[in-house]
Structures are given as C-alpha cells and as structure tokens.
Amino acid sequence: TRTYKFTDSSTGPILAYYLSYGDGVIDTFKEGWTSYHTYSKMGYYTVSLKVTNGKNSNIVTKKFFVP
C-alpha cells in the first residue's frame, strides 16, 4: 500500500472541492484542505478534482501509477 498527500493550492473564492481518487472514493472539502489517501493496490489511477464557486466549476484530471 502507498499513501499520497493531496493539497489545496488554489486561489479565489471557492465554495467546495470534490476530489475523486480514482478508486471509488470521493471526498468533499472546503478551502485550505489537505488530504491523505491510501491506495491498497498497485496500478494506474485517474484522480479528478472539481472546484466550484457556486456559479462556475472547473475539473482537473491526472492519471498516475501507484507502484
């Protein structure tokens, strides 16, 4: 198993963050968050972060390998 750290580095008025770790787990955060997530299996994961201010939203997706 491997544990990874995810950190908020955004600016501006954010209402909520939705972080999908690519393994079926989704967390919701407010501003200034830090999250630790443990992956139990080796493989490729697609992590998505959706940021919303209540009117608009943006999604960033990254694929990475957990050894």
Side-chain angles (χ1 to χ4, degrees):
T1 62
R2 297 252 182 180
T3 300
Y4 290 85
K5 180 179 178 181
F6 299 87
T7 305
D8 173 19
S9 62
S10 62
T11 59
I14 306 297
L15 181 63
Y17 302 83
Y18 304 94
L19 182 58
S20 173
Y21 299 99
D23 61 356
V25 177
I26 299 173
D27 282 331
T28 302
F29 303 98
K30 299 288 184 186
E31 287 187 58
W33 58 270
T34 297
S35 174
Y36 294 88
H37 186 73
T38 301
Y39 292 90
S40 60
K41 295 182 181 178
M42 177 178 65
Y44 286 96
Y45 293 89
T46 301
V47 176
S48 296
L49 176 65
K50 178 180 179 182
V51 180
T52 182
N53 65 6
K55 293 182 181 180
N56 300 303
S57 62
N58 191 25
I59 298 173
V60 175
T61 302
K62 300 285 183 182
K63 187 174 184 177
F64 72 101
F65 182 75
V66 174

